[in-house]
Amino acid sequence: MTPEPGEPTIDWVDERLGASPGIRRLLRYVFPEHWTFMFGEIALYAFVVLIGTGVFLALFFQTSTAETTYLGAYAPLHGETMSLAYESTLNLSLNVPAGLLMRQTHHWAALIFIAAIVVHLMRVFFTAAFRKPRDVNWVIGLTMLVLALLEGFAGYSMPDDLLSGMGLAIAYSVAMSIPLVGANLAFLVWGGEFPGSNDFVSRLFIAHVFVIPALLGLLIAAHLAIIMRQHHSQFRGPGRTERNVVGAPMWPGYALRSLGLLAAVAAVLFLLGGLVQINPIWQWGPYEVYNGTNGAQPDWYLGWLIGALRMMPPWEIHFWGDTWVPNPFFGGVLFPGIVFAILYAIPWLDRRFTRDRRRHDLLERPRDNPTRTALGVALFTWVAFVFGAGATDRVLIRFGFPYESQIQFARVATFLVPLIAFFVARKVCRDLQRSEAHPLRGWSGRRLRRTPDGGFEPVEPDEERTLAGEPPAGGPTV
Ligand code: HEM
């Protein structure tokens, strides 16, 4: 009998490693199916694209801040004094074949990587997938988010252009503002007073191309291994219990679909990299402290910190005539510290207030716990609002709204808006819970209802009226 394709290879591996029981278990591993489970994978595949394009960029990037006079392809900068780091990024963009494509794809991948992580985090929160036993993956995930933010900042700070230089100046003052240790920490990282020693860019380089990606890679591996060990959670539905997993086997179902998602993520990122300009450093020029100007906007995932720095009242803490806590500390350290402290504590806070210590493998819908959902909406609204305040200078320039009034308004609204969002979200959840309606009405404009087999069907007009407590059409008027 002719052997199956690949069989000799499997036999070879099996005879030496006895791997087939493990491989069989892996190939038969069941993954529950739901479109919201793709956000983690999108983050994963954006990370893969980041590594691939990053290796390409690292081959051409120079980590030195030694000065040179530019005579390269971009005429408007001819004769300009700049660092070798900036010049190598210019050459990478304008001289190296596919250099600009790789650079822009890398930058877009970073923006989408962090966006996918944030959406993934919200999915996990609003479906209560952080509950035991997945609280450990919640903590690992949050740590990956912190690393991803640092990695993004380190990455776009390396080219030594005007925009990233200004971002580093803000980061330096935030580091300096940390009480007691700030000055030493800043000197340690920057290698002296801002803009720092010649070693600073190479430190940033090692952190960006080695230390942080290695940590992220390790944590992602742990994250996925824990998911395999615990099994992925699933939504309630026919035949699904806390003790089983209903879904597609790893091979061929899940693996081929996931590979398709990888190809789609890579395709979208390279399309963006090829078609949509991002971070055109040749337009801002090299970084010189005296060239600092207004209107510098960081990458989106740092907007909330700029918003917090802008909104913070001029608080400072003085003792014995010395400034112990300078102002940047409140927006640049305390605010993000509070947000992440709340996020890290969520599994424990939830257990504390629900008194639920059981293991959960079935997910909740947001409507199933209106208070938790409303608190989550309030928290994310708060951060999103502060993020919006990061653009007050743009709003001033674009629409002429006075900067001070915007800041005054933001200082009040930043607490009012989340409060309103809390009550609105809780009301919507309670209504959905009561009506068991699908949150989105169907194409026919009629309300949809979940059928016992997990599908949806439109509610008949008469039944809709009954549900709304109205008499049937053509019946006696009240
Ligand atoms: C580099 C960043 C990250 C990557 C690559 C990643 C990847 C993944 C993947 C592929 C899954 C399975 C599919 C899915 O449910 O989406 C997953 C599940 C999970 N992730 Fe992440 N994740 C990341 C960050 C996070 C963050 C920031 C959190 C939370 C704060 C988190 C918490 C979880 C949890 C609890 C699960 C299990 C979900 C369940 O069983 O329903 N992850 N992650």
Side-chain angles (χ1 to χ4, degrees):
M1 194 174 80
T2 45
E4 294 279 328
E7 199 173 322
T9 324
I10 293 175
D11 287 346
W12 192 95
V13 173
D14 205 23
E15 282 158 17
R16 285 157 186 74
L17 305 175
S20 63
I23 294 175
R24 193 175 300 121
R25 241 197 338 274
L26 184 68
L27 294 181
R28 289 200 182 133
Y29 190 90
V30 176
F31 276 88
E33 296 184 301
H34 195 269
W35 61 273
T36 59
F37 298 164
M38 286 203 281
F39 297 127
E41 288 174 66
I42 293 173
L44 181 65
Y45 296 140
F47 185 67
V48 171
V49 172
L50 277 166
I51 298 288
T53 51
V55 170
F56 179 96
L57 300 177
L59 298 172
F60 297 94
F61 181 73
Q62 285 206 43
T63 60
S64 162
T65 48
E67 299 223 321
T68 178
T69 306
Y70 182 70
L71 296 168
Y74 191 63
L77 285 175
H78 272 192
E80 187 80 32
T81 305
M82 57 183 65
S83 67
L84 287 173
Y86 180 79
E87 187 195 44
S88 70
T89 316
L90 271 185
N91 293 340
L92 184 52
S93 312
L94 306 173
N95 297 57
V96 174
L100 187 61
L101 173 67
M102 289 299 185
R103 231 197 101 227
Q104 299 202 145
T105 303
H106 191 75
H107 204 123
W108 278 115
L111 301 185
I112 288 174
F113 174 54
I114 300 178
I117 297 175
V118 171
V119 177
H120 173 54
L121 178 157
M122 292 168 116
R123 189 293 283 175
V124 170
F125 174 80
F126 286 115
T127 59
F130 58 79
R131 293 174 300 175
K132 193 167 83 176
R134 292 173 186 82
D135 39 11
V136 60
N137 245 350
W138 175 265
V139 170
I140 291 177
L142 277 176
T143 310
M144 292 199 283
L145 176 56
V146 173
L147 286 173
L149 294 174
L150 280 176
E151 178 70 344
F153 180 64
Y156 88 76
S157 299
M158 287 192 330
D160 194 29
D161 59 284
L162 182 60
L163 181 63
S164 66
M166 292 173 63
L168 282 170
I170 296 171
Y172 180 80
S173 61
V174 169
M176 285 285 280
S177 76
I178 302 171
L180 302 175
V181 296
N184 293 333
L185 176 72
F187 270 52
L188 189 69
V189 174
W190 270 265
E193 281 207 28
F194 186 80
S197 72
N198 277 347
D199 308 337
F200 177 64
V201 172
S202 38
R203 279 185 198 152
L204 212 53
F205 183 74
I206 293 297
H208 184 72
V209 303
F210 177 56
V211 179
I212 303 180
L215 287 174
L216 272 172
L218 282 175
L219 287 176
I220 290 175
H223 199 63
L224 299 180
I226 292 170
I227 295 164
M228 296 291 277
R229 181 85 190 83
Q230 296 175 339
H231 277 287
H232 197 288
S233 62
Q234 58 187 355
F235 284 99
R236 289 172 200 286
R240 297 173 194 177
T241 69
E242 288 276 13
R243 288 283 149 265
N244 71 1
V245 181
V246 177
M250 166 72 89
W251 184 264
Y254 179 79
L256 292 181
R257 199 199 56 204
S258 200
L259 284 175
L261 184 63
L262 167 62
V265 169
V268 169
L269 291 174
F270 274 93
L271 270 176
L272 284 169
L275 300 175
V276 186
Q277 178 174 274
I278 190 160
N279 205 23
I281 58 155
W282 49 91
Q283 289 182 7
W284 355 114
Y287 177 65
E288 295 294 350
V289 182
Y290 50 79
N291 277 342
T293 169
N294 197 343
Q297 292 288 327
D299 276 358
W300 76 268
Y301 47 83
L302 294 175
W304 62 307
L305 301 181
I306 297 297
L309 288 167
R310 284 185 193 283
M311 276 173 55
M312 216 36 80
W315 294 336
E316 292 204 326
I317 299 177
H318 303 274
F319 285 126
W320 302 296
D322 288 331
T323 309
W324 280 62
V325 187
N327 184 261
F329 173 79
F330 298 100
V333 181
L334 189 62
F335 170 65
I338 291 171
V339 171
F340 271 102
I342 296 171
L343 288 173
Y344 271 106
I346 281 176
W348 289 268
L349 289 173
D350 188 78
R351 230 192 334 266
R352 168 81 185 62
F353 290 104
T354 61
R355 299 187 190 292
D356 179 355
R357 298 181 169 281
R358 291 164 299 161
R359 175 190 171 114
H360 289 283
D361 294 299
L362 282 178
L363 295 168
E364 287 189 349
R365 297 167 304 171
R367 73 181 70 184
D368 298 334
N369 193 319
T371 308
R372 179 202 296 132
T373 300
L375 285 169
V377 169
L379 177 70
F380 295 125
T381 308
W382 182 41
V383 176
F385 194 87
V386 175
F387 168 83
T392 36
D393 61 332
R394 300 281 85 205
V395 172
L396 165 70
I397 290 164
R398 179 61 61 92
F399 305 107
F401 293 154
Y403 184 82
E404 289 74 18
S405 342
Q406 287 185 65
I407 294 294
Q408 298 304 346
F409 166 76
R411 283 179 184 156
V412 178
T414 197
F415 296 105
L416 221 52
V417 174
L419 203 60
I420 297 166
F422 172 87
F423 290 109
V424 171
R426 197 172 62 174
K427 168 107 179 51
V428 170
C429 285
R430 287 183 174 160
D431 287 353
L432 287 172
Q433 232 182 7
R434 231 191 334 273
S435 66
E436 262 311 311
H438 184 274
L440 302 173
R441 288 184 175 274
W443 297 110
S444 63
R446 285 171 38 207
R447 189 192 295 222
L448 293 179
R449 151 180 70 234
R450 192 123 206 210
T451 56
D453 64 352
F456 291 104
E457 65 181 9
V459 176
E460 294 307 320
D462 264 355
E463 201 179 338
E464 175 114 29
R465 289 175 71 82
T466 326
L467 279 171
E470 293 160 14
T477 49
V478 177

